[in-house]
Amino acid sequence: ASPPHPISFALPLLLSSPPPRSPPAMEHAERLSTQLQSALTSLDASHSRPLQKSAYLCMARCVDTAPSSASNPSALPNCLARCSARVDAFQNAAQQAVGGLQQRFGRCAEVCQDKGEAVMGAGGG
């Protein structure tokens, strides 16, 4: 089985908040979701997939060229870890970026909800 895709977690994390209730807000949320999906697809094609391919090819070279485990038991695991380091770094950076966006979207939603409640309270609603 292949490892999980580095950015496969992004949409569920970002879009896990409750959906907006007003039609304009829903349209905006849908537009944002479409733009985010497009950006993640582009990021996958331009960065994630090439990094993964490079890592897998590197790992194959490790298997072909690492000294035997009898003479150097840590050679193969160390080589494999070096090969996956860039993919791991990319995944960590992507998770941090998505986490930051999620926090910003959450704060924005809270502010909008507070403003809406204030308007409804002021209008006697």
Side-chain angles (χ1 to χ4, degrees):
S2 63
H5 191 275
I7 58 176
S8 63
F9 59 85
L11 280 177
L13 286 177
L14 285 174
L15 303 176
S16 62
S17 60
R21 294 189 177 120
S22 71
M26 290 174 65
E27 289 174 15
H28 184 69
E30 288 174 16
R31 193 168 51 251
L32 178 63
S33 177
T34 300
Q35 291 171 347
L36 180 60
Q37 181 63 48
S38 176
L40 291 175
T41 298
S42 176
L43 183 64
D44 180 47
S46 65
H47 291 81
S48 181
R49 297 286 177 110
L51 278 175
Q52 288 180 3
K53 179 179 180 179
S54 176
Y56 288 129
L57 292 172
C58 178
M59 289 178 191
R61 284 190 300 275
C62 288
V63 172
D64 289 342
T65 62
S68 73
S69 58
S71 65
N72 189 351
S74 63
L76 182 58
N78 289 344
C79 185
L80 296 174
R82 282 190 303 274
C83 291
S84 65
R86 288 180 57 203
V87 173
D88 294 342
F90 174 80
Q91 183 173 5
N92 290 336
Q95 286 175 337
Q96 288 178 353
V98 169
L101 281 174
Q102 184 180 19
Q103 288 177 352
R104 291 175 70 185
F105 288 145
R107 286 192 306 266
C108 183
E110 289 174 6
V111 168
C112 289
Q113 183 175 355
D114 290 346
K115 287 180 179 180
E117 289 173 358
V119 167
M120 294 302 288

